[in-house]
Amino acid sequence: MAERDPSEPMQLRALWALHNAGLLKEADLVGLLGSKSEYVRAWAIQLLAEDPGAPGRSGGLSKFGEMAKSDPSAAVRLYLASALGRLPEDQRWTIAEGLLSHGEDAADHNLPLVIWYGVEPLVEGAPERAMELAAGSAIPKVAQFIARRAASDPRGLGAAVAALPAAGDGAPALIAEILNALKQRPDLPMPESWEKAFAALKESPNEAVRAGMEELAIRFGDRSTFPQMRKVVADAGSDAAKRRRFLKILADAKDGASVPVFQALLADETLRGDALRALANFSDAKSPAAILSNYAAFTEAQKRDAVAALSARPDYAKALLGALADGTVARAEVSAFNARQIKGFGDQEIDAALEKHWGKIADGASETAKVEIARFKKMLSAESLASANLPNGRAVYGRTCFACHTLFGEGAKIGPDITGSNRANLDYILENIIDPNAVIGRDYQLNVVTLKDGRVLSGMIPLENEVTLTVRQITGEDAVVEKKDIAKREVAPVSMMPPGQLQTLSEADARDLIAYLASPSQVPLPGEGPFLDPKTRKVGGAQEGESLKVAKATGGAASPQVMGNFPKGMWSGNTQLWWTGAKPGDSLALTFAAPADGEYEVFAAFTKARDYATADLTTSTANPVPLRFDFFADPDVLTTGPVSLGKHALKAGGSNTLEIKITGANPDAVKAYMVGIDYVWLGKKLGDE
């Protein structure tokens, strides 16, 4: 039955029964590796590999190698990949090489990672051979992981660098992995293979390769190019991308001679933000004055960077508090997080100035928190929240919460993603904002790292090894510091999220923020795009997706879908147009109306889910340039909220088209290639009052 039954399920049941009865010999399983059934072949692999020595004894090992290279079944290849981890390490190479030859598996949800789990132990012992394996890999993710692992120790780094001249189009990715490794292991010495690799690639026609080799040269101790880099950074007429790249290299290398250049860049709109973040790395008496003299011209994001830099050192903090006193910096522009970091210096003079000019730092004591929660609950009545300005609430969120939290797929990942939290519960949201120290998750405890040069870094620790520590700061930047440069390291018994956030806001802003946080779907910023009214559950003036006419569909079918079963999002009219059954390369053209000839900004809203596609979108305009979208989200089904598709010349009537072409799917998506269209919405005709 196991060999010849016409029913695959019966073959498998017979195979399992024989195995459980102890009646299968190794030779029987080797024979079943040639079965016509892919699932019988797969199970023969699994059962044979239960004894790690069996494939080598029985002749199954050579058969595994042949199947890894030529078996047409992805299921069989998955079982072979899983068997890798059970085999002796010296028996894995040929099988791994065969599995990595299948480029069609590159986007598979499981295979690249399962292959990597089997290959990873090989890299440390034989990095040269592992880099050869990576060079021949048709699965980029595995090649990337091999390079990352190899470059993390001295012998492997030499092998990775030696592989650069022959890497071809893969050289930029390999250089990036080497740089990432050196960022975490700055103590790794220059390998003997570097000189030859640098000679081969320093004049590469590929700009990314040249830039990467320049940065590697600096990481390995060659600073001869720094004077020229400073000139390029200071030259406003030079290419902006090159200036930004050189600035980061100089800042990461802590090149003190660059500080005057960075200070001068505070007047340069192009590199101002980069210069602010760079200056935080240096202790220089002139930096606070340089920052504050340009402060009025900064954007909101640049002001956050400026305040973060001025909160990092005691002498800088004194200048910041002086600016609070004279009104150069507004109290609302110094967050509770910044204030708590300043208080952490433990300087009585600074503490007194902080309390005088900013306010008292709440310690999150439960009695104080209870009083504040009661006060805000009384203020934030149902009637008050109903009158909230949600777009302004989103703007306030951008100033206060965006730097740490993700909401509706946007924001940072320092704190938890709050999209799926109990945001609509007023008690829950007030307790978490006003008294964040009541319950502190271990991952969100505040780490305070004081460096020997006086700089203080506060945040979470996403990565640590024996040489370096990575601090993810409130600005979203990762600061990698060598442990030898740390003077003191503490884990504070408080949450990364400081108390007192609401108390720094006006009543109107606090109301708008809380109402926005409770919103079931994204809203536009003030003055931007359409607005979904949570009361009517509709977007005024929207052309609903389910009402759009399908002008063309090269594959699949589009029909209305009611969205009431997905509580984490809100769709206009509670319905979308759902395009299913299509595949990459298929396109769907929809028509929408304009009230008159003219140029309009076109907005649309779509759906994101774990089985949705990536797609190119074009509208009916001359020389349309596609906009690229990834509609993947996991685990919840969400809306994108209003997305601007740009400004387009439209014709009066319903002949205007929106074309969606499926390009594929996110690597982590279930490959069903679906698309959901909530609505299309037109802004005012440009030029109209």
Side-chain angles (χ1 to χ4, degrees):
M1 287 174 65
E3 293 174 350
R4 294 185 293 276
D5 196 283
S7 166
E8 253 184 334
M10 290 306 295
Q11 283 184 281
L12 290 171
R13 289 179 181 180
L15 178 61
W16 297 333
L18 289 168
H19 175 69
N20 286 331
L23 299 174
L24 275 177
K25 298 178 181 177
E26 292 175 4
D28 297 328
L29 289 170
V30 172
L32 289 172
L33 294 175
S35 171
K36 292 181 180 179
S37 165
E38 61 179 316
Y39 298 107
V40 171
R41 297 197 303 276
W43 271 96
I45 292 166
Q46 176 162 323
L47 298 178
L48 189 60
E50 282 190 352
D51 177 354
R57 289 194 304 265
S58 62
L61 192 64
S62 62
K63 187 68 175 174
F64 281 5
E66 295 169 9
M67 296 170 77
K69 187 174 183 179
S70 60
D71 197 294
S73 167
V76 169
R77 296 195 295 274
L78 181 60
Y79 276 67
L80 284 167
S82 184
L84 277 179
R86 296 182 174 182
L87 297 175
E89 292 184 7
D90 62 345
Q91 295 181 6
R92 301 183 192 185
W93 292 98
T94 302
I95 301 168
E97 184 179 357
L99 291 172
L100 290 173
S101 68
H102 293 274
E104 65 271 28
D105 294 336
D108 187 90
H109 191 67
N110 297 309
L111 266 163
L113 290 175
V114 179
I115 295 170
W116 166 241
Y117 299 150
V119 168
E120 191 275 337
L122 308 179
V123 182
E124 183 177 7
E128 295 83 5
R129 188 172 181 182
M131 290 306 304
E132 291 176 6
L133 191 66
S137 173
I139 301 180
K141 184 177 287 187
V142 180
Q144 174 190 354
F145 290 169
I146 291 173
R148 181 180 301 174
R149 178 65 185 85
S152 298
D153 63 68
R155 181 182 168 192
L157 178 61
V161 169
L164 281 170
D169 292 340
L174 179 52
I175 291 170
E177 293 303 333
I178 295 172
L179 285 169
N180 284 336
L182 289 172
K183 190 174 184 181
Q184 299 301 327
R185 290 291 309 272
D187 60 320
L188 292 176
M190 179 195 298
E192 293 181 1
S193 54
W194 168 249
E195 188 175 339
K196 182 178 179 181
F198 186 64
L201 294 177
K202 65 180 181 180
E203 302 296 337
S204 169
N206 185 319
E207 170 65 20
V209 172
R210 291 199 309 276
M213 296 304 285
E214 288 172 359
E215 188 166 353
L216 278 175
I218 292 159
R219 294 283 185 182
F220 288 137
D222 181 359
R223 298 189 169 215
S224 60
T225 58
F226 278 18
Q228 180 59 31
M229 285 187 178
R230 291 185 211 112
K231 289 181 181 179
V232 172
V233 171
D235 181 6
S238 295
D239 176 70
K242 179 178 284 189
R243 294 176 72 204
R244 183 169 285 112
R245 177 165 55 82
F246 284 177
L247 185 154
K248 189 172 189 319
I249 290 173
L250 294 168
D252 288 348
K254 293 183 172 56
D255 177 50
S258 295
V259 171
V261 177
F262 299 158
Q263 291 167 349
L265 289 175
L266 296 174
D268 184 323
E269 292 184 11
T270 304
L271 294 187
R272 183 182 289 150
D274 302 86
L276 282 165
R277 291 186 290 274
L279 284 171
N281 290 322
F282 302 90
S283 178
D284 185 275
K286 295 180 180 178
S287 287
I291 292 171
L292 292 168
S293 65
N294 289 277
Y295 188 83
F298 293 172
T299 65
E300 284 193 9
Q302 291 164 357
K303 286 180 178 179
R304 286 197 295 271
D305 286 334
V307 171
L310 293 170
S311 304
R313 301 174 187 275
D315 50 339
Y316 285 20
K318 290 177 182 178
L320 174 60
L321 294 172
L324 276 173
D326 65 22
T328 301
V329 176
R331 178 177 180 271
E333 291 166 349
V334 178
S335 73
F337 184 95
N338 302 132
R340 188 166 66 185
Q341 177 158 306
I342 292 170
K343 187 173 176 62
F345 294 135
D347 184 302
Q348 291 184 352
E349 180 187 348
I350 291 176
D351 288 351
L354 179 65
E355 185 167 341
K356 179 179 180 180
H357 302 303
W358 186 85
K360 187 175 177 60
I361 298 291
D363 59 8
S366 57
E367 289 306 314
T368 303
K370 286 178 183 177
V371 172
E372 285 298 294
I373 290 170
R375 181 171 76 86
F376 275 100
K377 281 187 71 174
K378 184 177 180 180
M379 185 182 82
L380 298 169
S381 64
E383 294 76 15
S384 172
L385 290 172
S387 66
N389 181 335
L390 293 183
N392 180 58
R394 182 180 174 189
V396 176
Y397 172 87
R399 298 195 299 269
T400 56
C401 314
F402 183 86
C404 288
H405 295 284
T406 298
L407 180 60
F408 303 125
E410 299 178 354
K413 299 184 184 298
I414 297 172
D417 185 333
I418 58 177
T419 306
S421 65
N422 194 16
R423 294 176 288 113
N425 184 310
L426 183 60
D427 289 326
Y428 171 88
I429 204 70
L430 287 177
E431 287 168 6
N432 277 274
I433 294 177
I434 293 173
D435 193 11
N437 297 325
V439 179
I440 310 168
R442 181 177 178 182
D443 289 343
Y444 303 112
Q445 286 181 302
L446 180 68
N447 289 262
V448 182
V449 178
T450 304
L451 303 182
K452 292 177 181 177
D453 68 358
R455 184 183 181 192
V456 175
L457 301 170
S458 300
M460 61 184 290
I461 307 296
L463 193 63
E464 180 177 2
N465 57 42
E466 63 271 23
V467 178
T468 62
L469 188 72
T470 300
V471 183
R472 182 157 296 158
Q473 304 169 87
I474 191 70
T475 59
E477 291 244 324
D478 283 354
V480 180
V481 296
E482 294 190 58
K483 288 184 174 179
K484 64 181 178 62
D485 295 331
I486 296 175
K488 183 171 65 172
R489 175 184 176 185
E490 303 169 284
V491 179
V494 293
S495 166
M496 274 193 61
M497 179 175 171
Q501 301 265 45
L502 286 182
Q503 290 90 324
T504 64
L505 303 177
S506 68
E507 287 192 8
D509 281 352
R511 175 204 64 198
D512 294 347
L513 173 63
I514 296 299
Y516 169 68
L517 289 173
S519 174
S521 64
Q522 184 61 284
V523 303
L525 287 165
E528 288 187 0
F531 173 66
L532 197 157
D533 188 329
K535 297 176 184 176
T536 65
R537 298 183 69 90
K538 286 190 175 183
V539 171
Q543 300 179 55
E544 301 290 353
E546 61 274 15
S547 69
L548 298 176
K549 181 180 177 182
V550 176
K552 179 186 71 172
T554 63
S559 59
Q561 181 189 22
V562 177
M563 304 303 289
N565 290 330
F566 306 107
K568 295 294 177 65
M570 184 185 289
W571 287 260
S572 181
N574 202 34
T575 309
Q576 70 166 356
L577 183 67
W578 193 26
W579 183 25
T580 62
K583 59 184 184 302
D586 285 335
S587 59
L588 174 73
L590 306 169
T591 58
F592 62 94
D597 288 356
E599 188 177 18
Y600 299 80
E601 185 168 10
V602 180
F603 291 84
F606 304 91
T607 298
K608 302 175 73 172
R610 64 192 299 265
D611 45 7
Y612 274 43
T614 56
D616 282 354
L617 272 64
T618 54
T619 57
S620 51
T621 185
N623 301 314
V625 176
L627 295 171
R628 304 207 155 167
F629 286 87
D630 184 347
F631 295 122
F632 169 76
D634 188 39
D636 298 316
V637 178
L638 305 170
T639 60
T640 61
V643 175
S644 175
L645 304 183
K647 298 170 184 177
H648 300 277
L650 304 179
K651 295 291 185 182
S655 63
N656 304 290
T657 60
L658 169 64
E659 184 168 346
I660 306 167
K661 183 176 181 180
I662 294 175
T663 57
N666 187 291
D668 294 327
V670 176
K671 306 304 186 289
Y673 306 110
M674 295 190 283
V675 176
I677 303 96
D678 187 11
Y679 61 81
V680 173
W681 187 91
L682 304 185
K684 288 183 179 179
K685 188 160 65 104
L686 300 181
D688 288 353
E689 293 297 325

